[in-house]
Amino acid sequence: MPAPGSPGGQAPVPPPRHHDPSEPDDVPAWAPEPDDAPAWTPEDDDRTPETLRWLRDKRRAHRRRKGRDLAVVVYTLLLVVVGYGGGYAFHFMRRVELGADYSGLGADLQRALPALFTLVTAALALFAARDALWRGPVVVPAPSVGWLLAQPVRRERVLRPWFRLSAGLAVVPGLLVAAGGAVALRVTGLASLGAALLALLPAALCLPLLAVSFGMAVERRSALAARVRRRTPLAVLALMLLAAQTVLAVRGHRSVLLERAELWSGPWGWAAQPVVAATGGSAPGRWIALAALVLLTAGGLVLGHRDAGRVPTARLRRRAATAQTVSSVMWTVELRAAKLALLDATGSGRVHRARLPAPRSKYLVVVWRDALALLRSPGRLAKALMWTACATAAAALGAELHGGRRTLCAVVALLLGYVAVGALAEPARLETDDVRRAAWSPFRLRTLMLQHTVVPAVAGALLALVAAVPFAVAGAPWALLLWPVCAVPFAAAAVFAACRGPARTSLMFTGVSTPVGDPGVLIFLAWYAAGPLVSVGGLALALGAVPHRPDAAGTGGVAAVAGLLTAGLLFFAARSADRLVRR
């Protein structure tokens, strides 16, 4: 289609930008990047108003149809949330209100509020930064990037509305969370509903806008994006420490000096000070913190609005392609493809150099390759260690409880343990993403998949052994055997999930009508999560029969169940691998 105002119907293409060797490589993260050189002069060739007017006329019918679809989706969500969830939420809040007096729930929440608020807001900042690595506040559809930005139009007129839209949409969940938090503070007796809403309103408005502004800075500056990639592990470690501080505060172990430092360390603490003061805590400088929060938010919005019109076109094109890929595969429930697209866009981390002596037997080649891949990608081992720590914390909490709460903590600990071991089984998933990659192996695919179980099982058992040491010191020595045993079926379940194949969305539709809808969704979920369901469920039942202090008989029973689960999961993994080859 001819470009408005361009001769020959083609928009001139700017020459490629070459790197000047005289320019320094260590550019500060806050420094703006050079913009795409305009190929036209605004005084003579500006066709922004007529181009945008033509697009509005052409898109009117499409936008009207999208508006109707959006209205149906919003109505359905409101029906589910209000119609189905309203009654459950009311009864839950009523029980919380009745039990807050004698259970000490309000006092626990008051003690944990500074650390909890800092944890939530820091997690929001990390989410905004990681989201900006592949998507960001300014996500222009691929047709607009490929055609509209090539026309003689002003970039800021095209890009800045997307930033304003992202900022407006970010405020909506903030207000909803503030309303829920105000209700929680009211039912626990910490503050009246009006005072809680006024205290939470600055955080509900400023923190989402700050997150959008921070995401815009990450999207605009590649140096800042690289810094976010490098420091994400440290940020996750800080979040884990904040979570531990929150748990300790609930149990009565508070550090007033640390909480005071967190309340003044940044916008996450500034926004918490009005809430702390409204619930009876000490926050003498909350008005100064509130003013600093508002000024920082205003400055961030101004800078973000300025940067929104200066994102390079090549970066917008890559982000549009990634967003389109993720949205398309999410509709087909191909979560693995979405994860690969995100890893390709955000960067999977640096590959470290590591060497292992090559084995002499061909039966050890797969184990050698998996161990070498794990050493060269320590991020996977760090993820496994993080989830192991979370599983240990859940098990430690369950050891102090009784009845259903102990069982729930055990299930959560097992599920987190499965996630930890599953992080070590990435080579098996890479083999089944494209079965042609297995051509290097002298074995059949089913044998290859079985050999891919060795490294996750051994590494997971070692991590579980280290995690069981505190329990053994506390008087439960059989945990040194019980925990590593549970890692073996988790490795088999992870390999079985890798051999599952494409998502069978046909299972969602059975044609059977029930008062709660088609049960095919449950069937699909059971098929999709068969590995963790079988392994975690079987081990949870076996551990439920073990006494509070495990003995030799109980440990032997769990080991027998783990062996049966491992054999069954490996059998079905081999069958699934054969099915992948035939397909």
Side-chain angles (χ1 to χ4, degrees):
M1 182 174 181
S6 60
Q10 297 291 334
V13 179
R17 184 182 299 275
H18 298 282
H19 177 67
D20 188 0
S22 62
E23 295 180 355
D25 294 330
D26 52 345
V27 182
W30 48 265
E33 296 179 358
D35 304 326
D36 290 350
W40 52 276
T41 56
E43 293 78 8
D44 301 330
D45 300 328
D46 189 6
R47 296 294 183 268
T48 304
E50 51 263 41
T51 302
L52 296 181
R53 190 183 310 113
W54 182 84
L55 280 177
R56 283 194 297 269
D57 295 339
K58 292 297 182 181
R59 291 175 174 175
R60 184 174 292 114
H62 176 66
R63 288 181 174 177
R64 189 180 298 113
R65 186 177 68 253
K66 287 187 64 176
R68 289 195 298 265
D69 296 341
L70 181 61
V72 172
V73 172
V74 171
Y75 170 74
T76 305
L77 291 178
L78 288 177
L79 183 63
V80 172
V81 173
V82 178
Y84 287 96
Y88 294 105
F90 174 78
H91 288 293
F92 174 75
M93 288 298 179
R94 183 63 177 171
R95 293 181 60 184
V96 170
E97 184 177 9
L98 293 175
D101 294 334
Y102 63 86
S103 63
L105 183 60
D108 293 342
L109 181 59
Q110 186 181 27
R111 288 193 298 266
L113 193 57
L116 179 62
F117 211 99
T118 306
L119 172 64
V120 173
T121 51
L124 175 65
L126 180 61
F127 173 78
R130 295 296 301 182
D131 177 77
L133 293 179
W134 70 275
R135 198 176 61 93
V138 176
V139 186
V140 186
S144 297
V145 178
W147 177 81
L148 183 57
L149 293 181
Q151 309 306 318
V153 297
R154 297 182 181 272
R155 295 172 56 86
E156 60 272 10
R157 291 283 301 275
V158 178
L159 300 180
R160 285 174 179 170
W162 292 96
F163 175 78
R164 294 193 291 266
L165 177 62
S166 298
L169 292 177
V171 174
V172 176
L175 293 175
L176 293 177
V177 172
V183 173
L185 294 178
R186 166 63 184 84
V187 299
T188 52
L190 294 178
S192 63
L193 187 61
L197 281 174
L198 288 178
L200 287 167
L201 191 60
L205 293 176
C206 295
L207 292 179
L209 295 178
L210 273 176
V212 172
S213 302
F214 183 46
M216 189 68 251
V218 174
E219 182 180 2
R220 172 72 175 86
R221 296 165 174 83
S222 58
L224 185 57
R227 183 171 297 179
V228 168
R229 291 188 184 95
R230 290 195 304 268
R231 297 188 177 179
T232 295
L234 294 178
V236 173
L237 179 60
L239 291 179
M240 294 180 64
L241 293 177
L242 284 172
Q245 181 190 353
T246 303
V247 175
L248 291 175
V250 171
R251 299 177 62 86
H253 304 285
R254 300 179 62 182
S255 175
V256 179
L257 182 61
L258 182 59
E259 291 179 356
R260 188 62 55 87
E262 290 170 352
L263 291 178
W264 286 102
S265 59
W268 41 82
W270 302 342
Q273 292 195 27
V275 185
V276 172
T279 55
S282 175
R286 60 183 180 278
W287 298 112
I288 300 176
L290 187 60
L293 178 65
V294 173
L295 291 177
L296 183 62
T297 303
L301 286 177
V302 171
L303 292 178
H305 193 264
R306 185 197 65 181
D307 289 342
R310 301 178 180 179
V311 183
T313 304
R315 191 171 305 163
L316 291 173
R317 188 176 294 114
R318 289 194 300 268
R319 293 171 182 271
T322 303
Q324 186 175 6
T325 301
V326 172
S327 61
S328 62
V329 298
M330 289 297 289
W331 281 110
T332 57
V333 206
E334 292 290 351
L335 302 183
R336 174 66 180 173
K339 180 182 178 181
L340 291 177
L342 292 181
L343 288 177
D344 182 65
T346 59
S348 56
R350 293 180 297 176
V351 178
H352 296 260
R353 293 182 178 273
R355 292 182 180 273
L356 287 176
R360 297 183 178 180
S361 174
K362 68 175 183 179
Y363 296 101
L364 297 177
V365 171
V366 179
V367 178
W368 173 74
R369 282 170 55 96
D370 290 352
L372 192 61
L374 186 61
L375 292 177
R376 291 185 176 181
S377 301
R380 298 174 188 168
L381 187 59
K383 290 180 182 179
L385 185 61
M386 180 190 70
W387 291 116
T388 303
C390 295
T392 305
L397 180 62
E400 301 179 357
L401 301 176
H402 300 278
R405 293 183 179 181
R406 179 172 178 260
T407 304
L408 178 61
C409 289
V411 171
V412 172
L414 289 172
L415 186 60
L416 293 174
Y418 168 79
V419 176
V421 177
L424 304 172
E426 186 66 18
R429 300 187 187 97
L430 292 176
E431 299 280 11
T432 55
D433 288 338
D434 187 353
V435 294
R436 292 174 295 182
R437 292 176 178 172
W440 67 269
S441 172
F443 308 104
R444 297 190 332 184
L445 184 61
R446 60 182 301 165
T447 307
L448 183 63
M449 289 295 105
L450 296 180
Q451 293 179 356
H452 276 307
T453 315
V454 177
V455 170
V458 174
L462 291 177
L463 290 177
L465 180 63
V466 173
V469 171
F471 294 87
V473 173
W478 287 104
L480 295 174
L481 179 61
L482 191 63
W483 283 40
V485 161
C486 295
V488 181
F490 289 159
V495 173
F496 169 67
C499 300
R500 182 177 50 227
R504 297 171 58 183
T505 53
S506 59
L507 296 175
M508 293 186 179
F509 311 100
T510 61
V512 179
S513 299
T514 65
V516 295
D518 196 329
V521 178
L522 299 178
I523 298 175
F524 173 78
L525 292 177
W527 171 84
Y528 200 90
L533 280 179
V534 172
S535 58
V536 173
L539 290 175
L541 293 176
L543 289 174
V546 176
H548 191 70
R549 295 289 182 180
D551 51 7
T555 305
V558 174
V561 172
L564 292 176
L565 290 174
T566 303
L569 289 170
L570 290 180
F571 171 75
F572 285 105
R575 287 188 56 185
S576 300
D578 291 339
R579 192 179 298 113
L580 286 178
V581 175
R582 289 196 301 268
R583 188 175 295 158

